[in-house]
Amino acid sequence: MSQVTLGLEIRAQDGPGVLHQLTGVIAEHQADITSVAILQGEPAVAHIYFEVLLPAEPENLIADIRALPIVMDAVATSTMQRVFGKRIIIMGGGAQVGQVAIGAIMEADRHNIRGEHISVDTIPLVGEKPLAEAVRAVGRLPRAKALVLAGSLMGGEIEKAVREVRAQGLLVVSLNMAGSVPDAADLVVTDPVQAGVMTVMAIADTAKFSVHRLTRRVF
């Protein structure tokens, strides 16, 4: 039987052991939890979102979750991968971040019309420590596939963080800037709009572009 991937949105009475009870029911149905998030909700209510891989249709699982005394409501939803898809994170100086975002959003729109699901997130940041922390945090973000560093000068601890997230499989694109970050990135692009376009093309299944097939990495 083919497996079913679905989201589960659950509201339950808040308190110790809520996750233990919910994951116990999920395990009884041989479902594999691929993602979990505790969402902000009403006071005394635990609002929890799971994504699971289930070897059967979800009706019995949802019924058993609803049967728990602590559960107020449980519904099946589309997964975040289905709705928002792959994520591109752009960080650095505000003006440069904005220009990269223009290229990324325009190109993502072209691919999303053809069936892709690519979303673009931005955060203007300055300072070596805040940027290094943010780069490392991208490695913990769900569905993040690519990071674009948009600035005029980045190096030091940021370079170390770039090498760490690249080792985890994240694609890192850098603007052609001063500092050592361009040496650590997968791809270096001078024009910020083009950097956004090329990043989307690199992660889109509907594109034929591949970073690994390039004969040079600086543009």
Side-chain angles (χ1 to χ4, degrees):
M1 180 182 293
S2 61
Q3 293 183 313
V4 178
T5 302
L6 75 151
L8 290 172
E9 189 174 355
I10 301 168
R11 286 178 172 82
Q13 298 171 16
D14 201 6
V18 172
L19 280 176
H20 176 72
Q21 293 187 58
L22 295 174
T23 56
V25 174
I26 292 171
E28 287 174 2
H29 285 262
Q30 304 299 310
D32 183 17
I33 298 172
T34 59
S35 178
V36 60
I38 299 175
L39 310 174
Q40 185 176 0
E42 314 141 58
V45 175
H47 186 189
I48 304 167
Y49 172 75
F50 293 97
E51 290 189 2
V52 300
L53 193 61
L54 187 66
E57 292 303 316
E59 287 79 8
N60 291 337
L61 170 61
I62 294 171
D64 287 349
I65 289 175
R66 287 175 176 164
L68 289 172
I70 63 167
V71 171
M72 301 156 60
D73 190 26
V75 295
T77 68
S78 297
T79 65
M80 292 297 181
Q81 179 69 37
R82 174 67 183 84
V83 177
F84 290 108
K86 305 166 187 172
R87 298 172 72 183
I88 294 173
I89 314 298
I90 307 167
M91 65 178 67
Q96 289 137 315
V97 165
Q99 290 298 301
V100 174
I102 288 173
I105 291 168
M106 289 174 62
E107 185 69 10
D109 181 65
R110 189 169 73 89
H111 291 280
N112 289 348
I113 287 172
R114 295 155 60 190
E116 277 278 4
H117 293 274
I118 297 172
S119 53
V120 180
D121 298 315
T122 63
I123 178 167
L125 280 176
V126 294
E128 182 178 346
K129 184 177 179 181
L131 276 164
E133 288 178 344
V135 169
R136 291 188 172 102
V138 175
R140 303 191 295 271
L141 285 176
R143 300 175 287 100
K145 300 298 181 184
L147 166 65
V148 186
L149 290 167
S152 300
L153 172 62
M154 294 185 193
E157 194 63 28
I158 306 170
E159 179 201 346
K160 294 179 184 177
V162 166
R163 295 189 186 278
E164 290 172 18
V165 295
R166 280 189 64 202
Q168 298 169 23
L170 185 73
L171 173 71
V172 179
V173 177
S174 169
L175 293 189
N176 200 349
M177 67 178 82
S180 56
V181 159
D183 296 331
D186 292 285
L187 191 63
V188 180
V189 185
T190 301
D191 180 76
V193 174
Q194 185 66 18
V197 171
M198 292 180 74
T199 302
V200 171
M201 290 173 62
I203 68 166
D205 292 333
T206 49
K208 296 181 180 179
F209 173 74
S210 171
V211 171
H212 304 295
R213 295 172 60 185
L214 295 174
T215 57
R216 60 192 179 103
R217 51 179 293 278
V218 179
F219 294 87

